[in-house]
Amino acid sequence: MARWHERASAAIAAVALLAVAAGTAGSQAADNTEPQAPRFVDVAATAGIEHAYTGDWTHYVGGGVAAFDCDLDGDPDLLFAGGASPSALYRNVSALGTLRFSAVDDSELVETGVTGAYPLDIDGDGTMDLAVLRLGANRLYRGLGDCRFARADEAWGVAGGDGWTTAFSAVWEGDNRLPTLAFGNYVDPDMWAAMHTPFGDSATGAAPTAACPDNVLFRPAGASAATYGPAVRLSPGHCPLSMLFSDWSRTGRPDLRVSNDRFYHEDTGEEQLWHLGAEPRLYGRADGWPRLRIWGMGIASHDLNGDGLPDYFLSNMGANRLRTLAPGSIAGPEFREIAFERGVEAKRPHAGADERPSTAWHSQFADVNNDGWIDLFVAKGNVEEMEEAAAEDPNNLLLGGPDGRFREASVEAGAASMRRSRGGAVIDLDLDGLLDIVVVNRMANVEILHNRSRVSSHWLQVMLRQEEANRNAIGAWIEVRASGRIQRHEVVVGGGHVSGQAGWLHLGLGAAETAEIRVQWPDGTWSPWQHTAANRFVVIERGRTLAAAHETG
């Protein structure tokens, strides 16, 4: 962890110097109600990363990245899905202010057919493991340290199947030693291969019927078991491109949201929410769950309105959706639409001459300008050559503000790529307190957007720890109180588009130089409010004070 401590201390010192240099102008920027655009520069080439997501129609979807620390030095390394090309693992060897990556060419993770990946510590040994999604058998890899991995799906009792997996999520239920794993399967590849064209029957233009296989749930064989029981079929499946375990009602019970591609389920399917009882069941109209059919491609969650409950952004072809729980509906999942009023529909390209509908993929909430108001990144790109959708479709960077609305800033920020983007990650690659953006592109090199903003706003980066099972406290809620209001973040594994990340949770603090923080652990227990200075990397260990939890700086 030595390099982490060095770079974290350097980041704190650099932020302090920048705040002094910024002077009065910096303070005004932090208090300005108009969101200030960050400045990004694509440094993929100079950082040493050359990789594209390739392949025929079986890889029109997918194309994710996993951002996680595989060598235990504190900063995020990157695993890129390759589709028809081999996947690629890159070790982060960056210095503060300069991004550098080194390819791990002999990694066990390098293989074809990979659509995406999600990091999580399955066995609780303190080293990140990986769920790797594929066209073909999915893989579970046990992390061994120093960016080495070993196949573990068979040892853990998980059958990888032979389908086309494009969604994943995980959560710990109760006191189980192992997490519950959900895999979402896209179109039956054999059925799709038999079609005249990959987008439907050439004679009728219609999508095939019954093309969506069941999704699969793996639960531990017992509370203390180190292996999984038989697969549980989640039927019907409606061709998902994203799924997320989330406690939508804050009752301590996570359920599984599934966002589906309506092209393949036609009128028979919809967005889904699975109740995880002894036997999983779908919520329906009697529960308050409204029918919604979209070309669902990604899920992002955040408490946008400060009511303590997560809201859900659903990326889509055309107008994106933003769903919030209707007042008084905690007993049932009755959600209403607020995308238009919040300014996040983004249904057509915001730059260029193409006015056809947009196609949105990975989405993620994160505070990219550290002003204390959450922002939203959305990766966009035509599926392939769909004539009814925009060919020039720039990514969105939607900056949030105190009025609850978002404004488009990707051109101004240098993030408006016209490539066919798919997966992504918004994460601090060089531990300087500024969030960077990683974008995976189809048939084009990935983008590493280095955040080179000069801002005086403050930040905090948090990591949770608890003993034994669920070491990273998946399902916990982090609350940060600063400048008279509270930010709330649910710790999850899943969502986005075939892209996951683990490590530091970044929070912007705006002008606040101090903050208070507390955690609701997965079992519902609250930690006390604890005080911390801004611009710190803080590890919160359950049952200990921040001073005993390695606050740096």
Side-chain angles (χ1 to χ4, degrees):
M1 299 291 282
R3 194 156 67 94
W4 158 44
H5 283 290
E6 290 174 5
R7 287 164 60 185
S9 299
I12 293 166
V15 169
L17 289 172
L18 182 55
V20 171
T24 304
S27 298
Q28 291 174 344
D31 294 336
N32 195 335
T33 57
E34 180 73 12
Q36 301 299 299
R39 176 175 173 262
F40 292 100
V41 177
D42 183 7
V43 299
T46 58
I49 295 182
E50 184 177 352
H51 184 77
Y53 184 71
T54 70
D56 60 12
W57 52 268
T58 55
H59 295 295
Y60 285 175
V61 301
V65 56
F68 66 110
D69 182 10
C70 66
D71 53 11
L72 302 180
D73 66 353
D75 57 18
D77 309 293
L78 300 173
L79 172 67
F80 294 102
S85 300
S87 51
L89 178 64
Y90 283 86
R91 189 192 300 262
N92 191 338
V93 293
S94 301
L96 186 67
T98 304
L99 297 183
R100 292 282 188 274
F101 292 84
S102 175
V104 185
D105 294 325
D106 60 348
S107 173
E108 299 84 346
L109 304 177
V110 176
E111 60 179 333
T112 59
V114 174
T115 59
Y118 288 82
L120 72 162
D121 188 355
I122 294 174
D123 56 6
D125 65 355
T127 303
M128 281 293 161
D129 310 307
L130 280 169
V132 176
L133 315 184
R134 300 182 67 249
L135 175 64
N138 299 314
R139 317 278 198 210
L140 296 180
Y141 286 94
R142 183 170 182 264
L144 304 177
D146 195 32
C147 293
R148 296 178 299 111
F149 297 86
R151 278 278 302 278
D153 37 280
E154 292 185 3
W156 284 333
V158 173
D162 59 356
W164 181 1
T165 304
T166 50
F168 176 82
S169 191
V171 73
W172 270 259
E173 296 184 82
D175 296 327
N176 286 348
R177 175 178 176 180
L178 295 177
T180 295
L181 310 176
F183 293 86
N185 296 313
Y186 200 51
V187 184
D188 183 319
D190 293 333
M191 182 173 291
W192 205 6
M195 294 159 50
H196 296 291
T197 70
F199 295 115
D201 187 279
S202 59
T204 66
T209 58
C212 300
D214 292 342
N215 301 317
V216 180
L217 189 74
F218 289 96
R219 281 173 150 167
S224 60
T227 59
Y228 285 89
V232 177
R233 315 300 295 188
L234 298 180
S235 181
H238 295 319
C239 293
L241 290 172
S242 188
M243 52 177 41
L244 178 66
F245 283 112
S246 174
D247 186 358
W248 58 270
S249 58
R250 292 298 297 270
T251 56
R253 185 200 67 247
D255 290 324
L256 180 64
R257 285 191 80 101
V258 185
S259 194
N260 299 305
D261 184 355
R262 67 176 292 179
F263 185 83
Y264 292 104
H265 62 66
E266 295 185 316
D267 293 333
T268 61
E270 60 183 278
E271 299 295 280
Q272 295 171 305
L273 182 65
W274 287 91
H275 171 75
L276 290 189
E279 296 291 334
R281 73 168 181 87
L282 277 171
Y283 286 92
R285 277 358 129 238
D287 303 300
W289 178 250
R291 190 179 192 203
L292 177 65
R293 294 182 298 127
I294 62 173
W295 291 271
M297 296 180 175
I299 305 174
S301 67
H302 188 75
D303 176 15
L304 294 175
N305 55 16
D307 64 357
L309 300 169
D311 306 298
Y312 300 97
F313 179 85
L314 308 175
S315 55
N316 184 32
M317 291 184 68
N320 298 304
R321 303 303 182 99
L322 182 60
R323 314 289 282 181
T324 190
L325 193 65
S329 300
I330 293 178
E334 182 181 346
F335 285 82
R336 65 183 183 89
E337 183 61 50
I338 59 171
F340 177 76
E341 65 187 69
R342 291 301 183 106
V344 297
E345 278 191 317
K347 59 186 177 182
R348 298 187 187 278
H350 59 83
D354 201 328
E355 297 182 352
R356 289 172 292 180
S358 285
T359 306
W361 300 88
H362 182 79
S363 55
Q364 186 173 341
F365 286 107
D367 189 352
V368 295
N369 54 7
N370 283 344
D371 65 356
W373 302 100
I374 204 71
D375 310 309
L376 176 62
F377 172 75
V378 184
K380 288 190 168 180
N382 196 295
V383 174
E384 187 65 6
E385 296 179 355
M386 295 187 73
E387 295 181 357
E388 63 271 33
E392 294 186 347
D393 199 1
N395 297 335
N396 295 118
L397 185 65
L398 296 155
L399 301 183
D403 62 356
R405 288 186 56 80
F406 292 78
R407 76 169 182 90
E408 182 60 63
S410 67
V411 173
E412 184 181 357
S417 171
M418 291 287 190
R419 299 172 185 174
R420 285 177 289 177
S421 299
R422 293 296 190 262
V426 185
I427 195 165
D428 186 356
L429 293 172
D430 55 350
L431 303 184
D432 64 351
L434 298 173
L435 288 173
D436 311 297
I437 301 177
V438 180
V439 186
V440 182
N441 295 307
R442 175 164 166 77
M443 310 302 286
N445 197 37
V446 303
E447 293 165 79
I448 306 295
L449 301 181
H450 191 203
N451 193 333
R452 294 182 176 174
S453 306
R454 293 185 61 82
V455 298
S456 60
S457 297
H458 301 295
W459 50 270
L460 193 65
Q461 303 213 46
V462 180
M463 194 177 296
L464 303 185
R465 288 284 184 270
Q466 59 181 8
E467 296 297 325
E468 300 178 356
N470 196 6
R471 182 178 177 84
N472 302 111
I474 306 304
W477 281 81
I478 298 174
E479 294 192 350
V480 174
R481 185 163 59 192
S483 299
R485 67 186 189 90
I486 297 175
Q487 298 184 51
R488 298 177 178 88
H489 297 260
E490 185 181 18
V491 182
V492 297
V493 175
H497 180 62
V498 291
S499 299
Q501 61 189 63
W504 299 107
L505 175 66
H506 174 277
L507 303 103
L509 298 179
E513 297 182 351
T514 63
E516 293 177 292
I517 186 169
R518 68 173 182 171
V519 177
Q520 185 181 35
W521 299 96
D523 65 0
T525 303
W526 283 97
S527 71
W529 285 106
Q530 299 182 73
H531 182 273
T532 179
N535 307 330
R536 293 290 188 268
F537 294 82
V538 179
V539 178
I540 302 178
E541 296 183 30
R542 185 167 184 169
R544 301 188 183 185
T545 65
L546 292 184
H550 320 302
E551 181 176 343
T552 63

